[in-house]
Amino acid sequence: MTRRVVCPGSFDPVTVGHLDIIRRAAALFDEVVVAILHNPSKSGTFTIEQRIDFIEGASADLANVRVAAFGGQLIVDVCRKLEATAILKGLRSESDYAYEVPMALMNRQLSGIETLFIQGDAASGHISSSLVKEISGLGGEISGMVPDPVRDALYARRAGA
Ligand code: PNS
């Protein structure tokens, strides 16, 4: 039986923190599906195609990782479709825990699927997509916080603004 885990998120855009969790997941499971869950009525910063490209590019060396996008769907329905064993997420802080636990319990109530939490590298624990975007937009340096193509795309947006 293939042990398939789903790493869900908005990934708008992916950060080195996300990639650290994806790498750890790839070492623990047979297959990792990075699931970009998006609200079709909201545009976000990057298109779904860009978000997919960024993650695929940064995880190209991980043979058991694939990326897929799902709009307007419950994560539990995505997990059913993918025949996933579990949902896996990284926890950075107590506030992440407070945000994640109700969702984990709700998802288990809805479907029986378990959510697993792992600690990411402490060095990237403070990095989030929203902070990186804010810093970049205000002229700050974001090298090392996101993959280089994401950094370049954010800088290009800044230049065009
Ligand atoms: O990267 P994010 O924004 O923290 O990811 C949140 C995400 C996409 C994982 C969460 O909002 C989610 O699971 N959305 C899918 C819709 C859903 O199932 N909502 C009910 C959760 S109990």
Side-chain angles (χ1 to χ4, degrees):
M1 179 191 168
T2 303
R3 293 273 166 190
R4 184 175 297 119
V5 76
V6 171
C7 291
S10 310
F11 302 107
D12 188 26
V14 70
T15 69
V16 295
H18 293 130
L19 290 163
D20 173 49
I21 298 299
I22 292 166
R23 229 159 252 288
R24 291 174 197 283
L28 289 169
F29 286 85
D30 299 324
E31 206 176 298
V32 178
V33 182
V34 180
I36 301 174
L37 288 148
H38 61 101
N39 181 342
S41 57
K42 283 192 192 164
S43 58
T45 302
F46 290 106
T47 66
I48 301 307
E49 291 70 26
Q50 286 175 307
R51 295 185 217 179
I52 292 173
D53 284 350
F54 290 144
I55 303 170
E56 282 183 346
S59 63
D61 60 315
L62 300 171
N64 62 338
V65 172
R66 64 187 168 102
V67 188
F70 303 89
Q73 294 178 59
L74 286 172
I75 179 69
V76 294
D77 289 334
V78 169
C79 290
R80 280 194 195 106
K81 262 180 236 162
L82 295 170
E83 298 183 357
T85 310
I87 297 167
L88 186 137
K89 290 188 166 185
L91 277 188
R92 293 169 299 195
S93 60
E94 282 179 36
S95 61
D96 269 1
Y97 180 83
Y99 171 69
E100 295 291 349
V101 167
M103 288 201 285
L105 295 175
M106 194 59 90
N107 287 332
R108 188 164 65 192
Q109 182 172 341
L110 289 171
S111 67
I113 193 147
E114 300 285 357
T115 300
L116 309 175
F117 296 110
I118 57 173
Q119 291 303 131
D121 187 337
S124 52
H126 57 296
I127 296 172
S128 66
S129 305
S130 52
L131 279 181
V132 168
K133 286 189 286 193
E134 182 176 335
I135 292 163
S136 176
L138 295 171
E141 170 67 49
I142 57 167
S143 290
M145 299 177 189
V146 289
D148 289 351
V150 174
R151 175 201 59 198
D152 295 344
L154 282 169
Y155 286 172
R157 292 176 71 92
R158 180 166 82 182

